Amino acid sequence: MSIPASKRGGFVHREPKEFEEEVIQIDRVTRVVKGGRKLRFRATVAIGNKKGRVGLGIGKSNEVTGAIQKAIAKAKKNMINVVMNGTTIPHRIQVKYKAAKLLLLPAVQGTGLIAGGTIRKILDLTGIKDILSKALGTSNKVNNSKAVFLALSMLKQNPAMIKRAGIEAERRKQAPAPQPHGKKEQNPTPEKATSEQPKQEPTPQKTETPAQ
């Protein structure tokens, strides 16, 4: 029997995950076949790095762990980059996916995540901290998840963001390039140049003796 690492006096070093995972829903799916009923599991998983990247995937398997792993693999293939305006979204958006209707509104800093259930989980994984939302249609978690994913993929930059980006680009062009530390100047100053020139010795003058 193996002894745990904590009791041996050491700890297992685990690398931090690139994306955070959130299981939205796990369903039991039954299919009627010739020999009877076949039971499987369906997992809906959302992943994100809380920096504007988010993905959504659905996986099916005979076991719950297998379904979750398949959903994570599909979510990594369906990643999108969400356009954000600070801690909120750039503009108002309303989408409809099947029976799910979703409304997202930008909010000022300090408002928080005004959302519930599935919508809150996906927005949190995206990195949005201030937003107003309302689910107007069905309460189906899978359809609401896909509606949020669709709304986030349709976000675009507003005119204020484009203008701000242009001003920052001009400032970067006008800013002088920083010189690396510890590097001496290649061209000496005029004072140093004159001091480093070799001194010319005066030539002796010849004196002519008068003829007697």
Side-chain angles (χ1 to χ4, degrees):
M1 185 176 177
S2 61
I3 303 173
S6 59
K7 292 185 178 180
R8 293 198 306 264
F11 295 92
V12 179
H13 177 70
R14 295 182 180 180
E15 296 182 358
K17 292 184 178 181
E18 184 181 2
F19 301 104
E20 295 187 16
E21 304 161 3
E22 191 72 39
V23 178
I24 295 172
Q25 189 176 12
I26 296 177
D27 301 314
R28 291 191 303 173
V29 181
T30 305
R31 186 174 63 178
V32 179
V33 295
K34 187 177 180 180
R37 293 181 178 180
K38 189 175 181 181
L39 179 66
R40 301 183 73 189
F41 295 94
R42 182 184 67 184
T44 307
V45 179
I47 63 173
N49 61 353
K50 294 189 175 183
K51 295 180 182 178
R53 293 201 70 194
V54 68
L56 182 68
I58 298 175
K60 297 178 182 179
S61 178
N62 296 331
E63 298 180 357
V64 177
T65 55
I68 293 174
Q69 293 299 325
K70 286 183 179 180
I72 293 172
K74 287 185 179 180
K76 288 182 179 179
K77 293 179 181 179
N78 299 327
M79 299 290 294
I80 60 171
N81 294 322
V82 181
V83 178
M84 296 172 57
N85 186 10
T87 59
T88 185
I89 57 177
H91 56 83
R92 175 185 183 273
I93 186 168
Q94 184 174 359
V95 296
K96 182 180 183 297
Y97 180 81
K98 294 184 179 180
K101 297 179 182 178
L102 181 66
L103 174 64
L104 299 179
L105 297 171
V108 296
Q109 189 172 3
T111 303
L113 275 174
I114 309 301
T118 306
I119 303 172
R120 186 184 186 90
K121 291 180 181 179
I122 297 178
L123 293 177
D124 185 35
L125 290 172
T126 307
I128 298 173
K129 298 180 181 179
D130 305 299
I131 195 171
L132 301 171
S133 67
K134 182 65 177 177
L136 304 171
T138 181
S139 60
N140 188 304
K141 292 184 179 180
V142 177
N143 285 344
N144 280 330
S145 301
K146 291 184 178 181
V148 177
F149 194 73
L150 178 63
L152 294 176
S153 63
M154 294 172 63
L155 293 175
K156 299 179 181 179
Q157 290 185 344
N158 55 23
M161 294 174 62
I162 298 173
K163 185 177 180 181
R164 194 186 313 148
I167 294 172
E168 291 179 358
E170 290 181 0
R171 288 180 181 177
R172 290 176 184 175
K173 289 181 181 179
Q174 294 177 359
Q179 294 182 356
H181 297 286
K183 190 175 181 180
K184 296 182 179 180
E185 296 180 355
Q186 295 181 357
N187 297 328
T189 56
E191 296 179 357
K192 292 182 180 179
T194 54
S195 61
E196 289 178 359
Q197 290 180 357
K199 296 181 179 179
Q200 296 180 357
E201 296 181 357
T203 54
Q205 296 180 358
K206 296 181 180 181
T207 56
E208 295 180 358
T209 54
Q212 294 180 357

